[in-house]
Amino acid sequence: MGLALCAALLWPPADRSELVALAVGHLLGDDLRAIGQAEPIRTSLFRSLDELLADREDPSLTASFRIDGATIHQPAFERVLAAHLNRYSEQRRADRARLEVGSRPATDTGGIALQFEIVSVGDRVSVTATVADRVVEIAGGASRSMPGRSALLPPLIAIAIALVTRRTLLALFIGIYAGSTLMAVEQGATGMAWLVGLRDVAAVYLWNELFDTFRIEIIGFVVALVAMIGVMTRAGGVQGLVERMLRFARSVRSALFLTWGMGLLIFFDDYANCMLVGSTMRPLTDRLRISREKLAYIVDSTAAPIAGISLLSTWIAFEVSVFSAQLPEVGIAQSGYSIFLQALPYRYYCWFTLLFVALTIASGRDFGPMARAEQRARSQGLLVRPGGRAPISEALSSMEPAPQMPGDPLIAALPVGATLLVTVLRIFSDGGGFAVLASAPATLLSLEGLTPVLLAGGGAAPIFAGACAGLGLAVFLAGSTTTRLAIVIGAIGSAALGDPVVEFSGGAVSGYFAHAGIFAALATATAWSAPLASRSTSRPHLRASELFHAARGGAGALGFAVVLLFEAWMIGAVCADLATADYLVALLSGALPPVLLPLLLFLVGCAVSFATGSSWSTMAILLPNVVGLASALGPETALGAFGMVIVSIGAVLDGSIFGDHCSPISDTTVLSSVSSGSDHIDHVRTQTPYAIATAAIAIVCGYLPAVFVSGWNLPVAAVCATAAIAVLLFSVGRRIDAAEPA
């Protein structure tokens, strides 16, 4: 089915006018960003507007478009222009009236006439604008390449090879190499494109990811967290925690419900959710002979879906920011947060994903590859398919507590709690929350006041800080008195030296690495200078060498996982350079009647996010143009203009999360495999039928009746979805016999 879908996407051509409009949008975005540069472009549209509007009170504009000498009326171009004018108004004219494109001639309104001359030669697009008799070149006269059908090849090749051969790293590398070679051809390296492409795989794509601060901190987070799990396991904390949880989770069903509940509780960040839930619950699910694929599915299904709809997550402010600027253009005076809240009942895929997981656990039934994986684990005790490769160290999976260590659950519970606490505090601190708390604390009580703090504080740095804190506390609890003293001295010393930052050629890397070096040096010096060392401690503890080997056993064999993450990021960069998302949008646009706009937007969001592996990029591409389109088509439906805007926003947000949830090149999908210890492609193969089934139910029970049935709401949709999921599970699913704890 996956290969058939890949072939189907390669068959029809994309709409050229949509491709031109998307290229114009990119050029307008480059022109807008150029205003804030140190050396701004002299002939810039938005710089010219700055000068013309400096002393004007009337902000009205009119716009006309000519493509290759022919005057056209194309709504796509008007939407693109309106989207960037709204961004310009927010950035440059925050205290002035919003710029609007009117239909009356500029001479009648005292406004400004904009005339755009678009030239498309081959696959290149350039734009010239006449602004009040002044001719300017958009983006300094730069041209933009329109993507061709070949833009789909890198992700489709990688996905197809991975599904057929189950060799993930090879599949991703071939996809990256194919995309890099296509870029070389586009840049004129025809005869030697294959060699230039191979060079650019390392010199461009790998190099950029290696020295990206966000990427390095994500790797640091994964390594620190897995090292923490290794120390907790060797110190007996994980065994004690499992024994304690077995009091409440004696069966497969209760253990899976506990995993699902933990996923719902860690709602503030999808990365933290993936790693913490999978790493914490894996020893328990292993003991109950639950397949790693099933654990990875539950972890993945309660990461992006819960973060996407949570009111207190690092996602909400970004989601609101990509569509809020367009609301005044269609006459919506409500804030973006108000619209987000009204769109929550139409986030059918997220809600139904969480419901699907719960009903699957409650029924004890599975179907497709997941059923075979579960039966294998229950009957044979094979948690991973024979021949499958878990991204984590086998040493971590088989690590046993040291004989002298008691099974104290606090050695595991406290580090996990510290990781969560430090992560939340760091998000709040980095987002300026303490400054807001000191100056205007009441602001934090509103959604509009709190979510900008979460957006500004989000990213990889807080979860990296949390993982480091958790690792430090785990070592502190498991170590000797001397080890504890060394940790305290190291922490005080590194904190006293401020926040040093290490500079690489690719950019600044977080000061955590400098702090880690200082901390390690002071801690090591303290430990070596203490003559009594660990023998002075009468309580059970791990020696320094045992702590080191436990941490290394946890994190030392993460090479496969690290390479997998980097390749996922690299193929995402290749897709961005080839404008894969643009081609998919143009390919699928206009494929359905206007009344089915929410369905179309959901499908486009699913396709783009699955192909690129990024939900945020998909939102940023689709949402700026959706508000105007939905408002224009809404009056033709029972929803009306406002209702169509609300439902369409929910459809795009949900479609974007579909790919982040189950794409093999999504970093959260990779992290779910890493934390759960599942073969990555096995995780994708077993989860994808569930995700597709959920998407189909979201369409049938959500987006279609929302347009055609008056008064359709989430409770009614949830009842219908529950019935549909039950029919599916009891018709094609089969009950897997439970196993007793090993």
Side-chain angles (χ1 to χ4, degrees):
M1 183 176 64
L3 295 178
L5 177 60
C6 295
L9 287 174
L10 290 172
W11 181 258
D15 186 282
R16 182 175 175 84
S17 62
E18 287 288 341
L19 288 173
V20 174
L22 289 166
V24 170
H26 287 298
L27 290 171
L28 288 172
D30 293 340
D31 192 277
L32 179 56
R33 284 188 292 272
I35 301 179
Q37 294 177 357
E39 297 182 1
I41 298 172
R42 292 183 178 181
T43 57
S44 163
L45 168 65
F46 292 104
R47 190 180 182 193
S48 298
L49 287 178
D50 268 350
E51 298 171 0
L52 290 171
L53 297 172
D55 300 320
R56 295 201 183 199
E57 296 297 330
D58 186 359
S60 62
L61 303 172
T62 59
S64 60
F65 299 89
R66 287 166 55 88
I67 297 182
D68 299 329
T71 301
I72 64 163
H73 175 70
Q74 182 75 20
F77 292 96
E78 296 173 0
R79 291 195 304 270
V80 164
L81 176 61
H84 286 87
L85 284 174
N86 286 336
R87 293 174 180 172
Y88 169 73
S89 294
E90 283 201 340
Q91 294 176 16
R92 310 288 294 181
R93 295 170 54 85
D95 57 342
R96 304 285 295 276
R98 184 175 296 273
L99 293 175
E100 297 179 357
V101 178
S103 57
R104 296 176 59 192
T107 54
D108 296 344
T109 62
I112 299 173
L114 303 178
Q115 295 178 327
F116 292 89
E117 187 71 37
I118 303 166
V119 178
S120 60
V121 179
D123 64 346
R124 307 296 300 185
V125 176
S126 59
V127 187
T128 301
T130 302
V131 186
D133 299 326
R134 178 190 302 179
V135 179
V136 297
E137 294 178 320
I138 305 299
S143 62
R144 175 82 183 192
S145 175
M146 291 185 296
R149 190 175 295 171
S150 59
L152 297 178
L153 288 177
L156 294 184
I157 287 173
I159 292 169
I161 293 177
L163 292 177
V164 172
T165 67
R166 300 191 182 188
R167 299 183 66 179
T168 315
L169 298 185
L170 175 64
L172 287 173
F173 176 79
I174 293 175
I176 296 164
Y177 177 49
S180 181
T181 303
L182 289 172
M183 284 299 301
V185 171
E186 184 177 310
Q187 294 166 2
T190 53
M192 300 293 290
W194 63 274
L195 188 58
V196 175
L198 184 61
R199 180 203 65 188
D200 288 348
V201 168
V204 176
Y205 295 105
L206 178 59
W207 181 265
N208 289 341
E209 301 304 325
L210 280 175
F211 293 101
D212 181 271
T213 302
F214 177 84
R215 309 304 194 202
I216 293 175
E217 288 175 338
I218 285 292
I219 296 299
F221 160 66
V222 172
V223 170
L225 193 65
V226 175
M228 178 187 80
I229 298 297
V231 172
M232 288 161 36
T233 301
R234 187 61 178 164
V238 171
Q239 181 183 11
L241 187 62
V242 169
E243 296 292 344
R244 185 66 58 89
M245 286 191 294
L246 279 173
R247 301 179 185 178
F248 309 98
R250 293 184 176 275
S251 65
V252 168
R253 181 181 287 109
S254 57
L256 292 178
F257 266 124
L258 182 60
T259 306
W260 179 75
M262 283 188 63
L264 297 183
L265 288 175
I266 306 177
F267 52 79
F268 55 86
D269 185 82
D270 54 332
Y271 290 139
N273 186 309
C274 286
M275 289 302 297
L276 282 173
V277 176
S279 299
T280 303
M281 296 304 300
R282 188 180 63 248
L284 175 62
T285 57
D286 283 358
R287 179 172 294 198
L288 293 172
R289 290 189 173 183
I290 297 170
S291 69
R292 298 280 180 80
E293 294 94 327
K294 186 62 174 286
L295 174 62
Y297 163 64
I298 297 175
V299 169
D300 211 353
S301 299
T302 53
I306 192 65
I309 60 177
S310 171
L311 297 182
L312 296 175
S313 76
T314 54
W315 284 54
I316 177 175
F318 175 81
E319 291 175 314
V320 169
S321 68
V322 289
F323 69 79
S324 59
Q326 320 311 322
L327 298 175
E329 179 70 20
V330 298
I332 298 178
Q334 299 180 37
S335 71
Y337 296 101
S338 175
I339 298 299
F340 177 85
L341 292 174
Q342 294 177 68
L344 278 178
Y346 301 101
R347 305 290 299 276
Y348 296 115
Y349 179 77
C350 288
W351 293 118
F352 293 171
T353 294
L354 301 175
L355 179 63
F356 200 109
V357 175
L359 292 178
T360 302
I361 296 172
S363 67
R365 292 176 175 270
D366 287 289
F367 60 89
M370 186 70 78
R372 294 191 289 274
E374 282 290 87
Q375 189 61 53
R376 178 203 71 221
R378 298 289 204 286
S379 60
Q380 304 176 45
L382 298 175
L383 305 176
V384 178
R385 170 184 56 85
R389 181 173 183 177
I392 62 171
S393 167
E394 182 60 31
L396 178 62
S397 301
S398 58
M399 187 180 293
E400 297 290 338
Q404 75 274 17
M405 297 301 295
D408 187 354
L410 290 179
I411 296 178
L414 290 179
V416 171
T419 300
L420 289 173
L421 179 62
V422 171
T423 299
V424 172
L425 288 177
R426 184 61 191 260
I427 290 174
F428 191 73
S429 174
D430 287 359
F434 289 108
V436 176
L437 188 64
S439 58
T443 306
L444 297 175
L445 299 178
S446 66
L447 193 60
E448 290 85 348
L450 183 58
T451 51
V453 172
L454 296 175
L455 177 63
I463 57 176
F464 183 26
C468 289
L471 174 60
L473 183 57
V475 173
F476 181 88
L477 294 174
S480 65
T481 302
T482 303
T483 300
R484 294 183 173 186
L485 178 62
I487 290 175
V488 171
I489 292 176
I492 294 174
S494 62
L497 293 177
D499 188 20
V501 177
V502 177
E503 295 283 348
F504 285 111
S505 58
V509 178
S510 171
Y512 285 121
F513 295 102
H515 277 293
I518 296 168
F519 171 85
L522 291 173
T524 303
T526 302
W528 278 97
S529 63
L532 297 180
S534 58
R535 287 173 295 187
S536 62
T537 304
S538 57
R539 61 177 180 80
H541 64 275
L542 296 178
R543 296 189 303 274
S545 59
E546 291 179 304
L547 290 169
F548 173 76
H549 289 299
R552 187 184 65 179
L558 276 175
F560 178 79
V562 170
V563 174
L564 186 59
L565 273 173
F566 271 110
E567 287 196 343
W569 291 327
M570 289 165 66
I571 199 168
V574 168
C575 291
D577 287 347
L578 291 172
T580 302
D582 284 359
Y583 188 83
L584 274 171
V585 170
L587 177 66
L588 299 174
S589 63
L592 294 174
V595 71
L596 298 178
L597 178 64
L599 173 60
L600 173 64
L601 293 173
F602 176 69
L603 293 175
V604 171
C606 290
V608 173
S609 60
F610 188 84
T612 61
S614 173
S615 56
W616 283 30
S617 296
T618 305
M619 295 174 193
I621 291 168
L622 296 181
L623 278 176
N625 298 319
V626 161
V627 173
L629 179 62
S631 179
L633 299 180
E636 303 178 22
T637 69
L639 288 173
F642 182 77
M644 182 61 80
V645 169
I646 297 294
V647 178
S648 297
I649 288 174
V652 172
L653 293 175
D654 263 19
S656 302
I657 286 177
F658 172 87
D660 194 68
H661 175 207
C662 64
S663 172
I665 59 176
S666 165
D667 47 7
T668 49
T669 308
V670 172
L671 288 176
S672 298
S673 300
V674 171
S675 68
S676 304
S678 169
D679 179 278
H680 181 57
I681 293 303
D682 287 347
H683 167 44
V684 174
R685 291 170 66 94
T686 54
Q687 175 172 266
T688 299
Y690 285 27
I692 292 176
T694 306
I697 292 170
I699 291 171
V700 174
C701 300
Y703 293 113
L704 286 179
V707 175
F708 290 106
V709 180
S710 178
W712 193 260
N713 54 39
L714 181 60
V716 175
V719 171
C720 294
T722 301
I725 295 171
V727 169
L728 177 66
L729 291 175
F730 283 90
S731 59
V732 302
R734 58 191 178 95
R735 192 175 183 85
I736 309 299
D737 294 332
E740 295 298 326

